[in-house]
Amino acid sequence: MAGLVLARGLMLRGLRPVVLERAPADATIPGPIMLPFQAYDPLAEIGLLDAIRARGLDIPPFQRGTPVAVGVGRQIVLDALREGVDVRHGAEVVDLARDGDRVVGCVIRTAGGDAQTLPSDLMVGADGARSTVRGLAGFDADVFAFDTAQLSWRSPVVPREPFGIHFLPDGRQVTVVGWPGGAAGGWQIPRLEGGAHEATAAGFDEFRRRFASLVPIAAEPLAAIGPADWFYREALGVRCDRWWRPGVALIGEALHAMNPEAGIGSGLGMGDAQALAVAVARNPGDADAACRDWEHWRRPALAPYLAIGSEGVRVVRGGEPRPEEIWPPAP
Ligand SMILES: Cc1cc2nc3c(=O)[nH]c(=O)nc-3n(C[C@H](O)[C@H](O)[C@H](O)COP(=O)(O)OP(=O)(O)OC[C@H]3O[C@@H](n4cnc5c(N)ncnc54)[C@H](O)[C@@H]3O)c2cc1C
């Protein structure tokens, strides 16, 4: 999403970016995203906010005013963003081309297995928490596993309210997000040595019962699904002090991946992209000056989020959990 917003922002300013995407053109991502308000400005600028909001559910459903977030299909957002963009699908970045210290392009491997070198004025790694570009360009990043994992589910049944949340005593959350295509929920549990096996050992029926007792609007969506719609996920965190080097920059999760419990990752990445598009257009032919401008403007906007971190959203009640608030249950 961050890369596509950057591309649209550059196109708006008369530039011609190319997006390299290793996934094939027909790959789709199921389920919703909770698009946070931080995404509104970047999406409005490229003329997509109203169309995306019209295909989602406002959270909360105000009569007037601006919602805090919009629950919408991830693929709907991606399809809207990529319309008209030169996206080369099946193109995996596997190396960078250099002239001394400067990155001047990249090597891609195509779906057919061929290698091609493409020149660039500025290469932007918007390639997610496991960023290949970050590693190839030699950014010194702190990449770490969070102490919190997510046990989540997807259902085709739309909940009776678009959003529900229950904070556990330690501030972790149990959440449901609705969208016109159904609902998705997540229980933030401690990361487990035994991974998915340990997290799901007590069975889906017990999980469903406890989840719905904590967030009642989950009852109907959960009644319609089974263990095949249930997933254990561990997210990676990323902190990177340096934002760019000559000829190459990082944005979005490649630069600062947060735990999904924060619910704002997409908005922060889109904000990075919008600011970088402005900076590039203001510094024609000078990628380093553009990156410098971008960092000067964007760092103060991002600094509070990075300082507080994903855990900043926790509402800590303290005390002992009630039996139904414990997952996995004691054996
Ligand atoms: C479980 C989960 C739930 C989340 N829920 C929310 C939420 O509700 N709200 C929210 O705001 N955020 C949420 N996030 C975060 C959100 O998904 C990201 O912030 C958002 O996807 C934008 O990230 P990005 O564009 O930086 O990277 P990504 O979405 O990771 O995109 C990176 C892209 O780069 C491509 N790529 C990777 N390597 C290469 C390569 N070598 N060559 C070519 N292409 C490559 C990938 O195929 C991918 O398309 C969630 C994240 C997770 C993991």
Side-chain angles (χ1 to χ4, degrees), residues 1-4 20-23 29 32-36 39 74 78 88 91-94 108 125-133 136 150 152 177 233-236 251-270 272:
M1 288 184 184
L4 289 169
L20 305 170
E21 171 54 62
R22 72 177 166 199
I29 303 183
I33 186 163
M34 201 172 97
L35 214 53
R74 255 181 200 267
L78 289 168
R88 315 265 169 96
E92 179 172 13
V93 175
V94 291
I108 57 166
D127 52 345
R130 292 180 167 76
S131 173
T132 303
V133 172
L136 290 172
Q150 178 155 288
S152 56
V177 177
R233 293 192 274 215
E234 295 177 355
L236 273 188
I251 62 171
E253 303 249 304
L255 183 63
H256 49 69
M258 295 226 170
N259 193 300
E261 73 181 304
I264 54 173
S266 70
L268 298 187
M270 289 182 192
D272 298 344

Side-chain angles (χ1 to χ4, degrees), residues 6-275:
L6 174 61
R8 294 291 290 255
L10 292 170
M11 289 162 64
L12 191 68
R13 294 170 171 84
L15 291 145
R16 290 188 304 149
V18 173
V19 175
L20 305 170
E21 171 54 62
R22 72 177 166 199
D26 58 1
T28 54
I29 303 183
I33 186 163
M34 201 172 97
L35 214 53
F37 68 85
Q38 291 89 345
Y40 296 174
D41 273 355
L43 290 175
E45 195 198 26
I46 56 178
L48 290 179
L49 179 61
D50 291 345
I52 289 175
R53 192 175 159 196
R55 299 194 60 191
L57 290 179
D58 284 359
I59 301 170
F62 288 147
Q63 295 298 316
R64 292 189 197 82
T66 314
V68 173
V70 176
V72 62
R74 255 181 200 267
Q75 195 57 41
I76 288 172
V77 179
L78 289 168
D79 287 346
L81 286 173
R82 72 180 174 190
E83 215 176 300
V85 178
D86 183 358
V87 182
R88 315 265 169 96
H89 285 278
E92 179 172 13
V93 175
V94 291
D95 206 352
L96 299 178
R98 285 193 174 75
D99 180 1
D101 279 349
R102 173 168 292 278
V103 171
V104 293
C106 68
V107 180
I108 57 166
R109 190 167 51 218
T110 65
D114 302 335
Q116 288 174 16
T117 302
L118 303 177
S120 59
D121 300 309
L122 177 63
M123 171 91 196
V124 180
D127 52 345
R130 292 180 167 76
S131 173
T132 303
V133 172
R134 188 179 63 222
L136 290 172
F139 285 92
D140 190 14
D142 182 15
V143 181
F144 54 93
F146 291 104
D147 65 352
T148 298
Q150 178 155 288
L151 200 48
S152 56
W153 50 269
R154 279 195 295 271
S155 167
V157 173
V158 181
R160 54 183 188 268
E161 286 171 25
F163 185 70
I165 191 164
H166 175 83
F167 286 102
L168 301 165
D170 64 3
R172 290 191 175 101
Q173 52 183 260
V174 185
T175 317
V176 177
V177 177
W179 65 297
W187 187 327
Q188 305 288 333
I189 63 172
R191 189 160 59 90
L192 300 170
E193 287 278 309
H197 180 73
E198 188 180 348
T200 57
F204 185 67
D205 285 339
E206 184 57 18
F207 175 80
R208 168 163 49 198
R209 193 187 68 71
R210 290 189 188 209
F211 198 113
S213 79
L214 299 175
V215 188
I217 64 163
E220 293 84 8
L222 278 169
I225 60 170
D229 306 297
W230 192 31
F231 321 92
Y232 173 81
R233 293 192 274 215
E234 295 177 355
L236 273 188
V238 175
R239 286 296 176 91
C240 200
D241 278 344
R242 199 152 170 191
W243 288 27
W244 63 278
R245 303 172 75 96
V248 59
L250 301 175
I251 62 171
E253 303 249 304
L255 183 63
H256 49 69
M258 295 226 170
N259 193 300
E261 73 181 304
I264 54 173
S266 70
L268 298 187
M270 289 182 192
D272 298 344
Q274 182 187 29

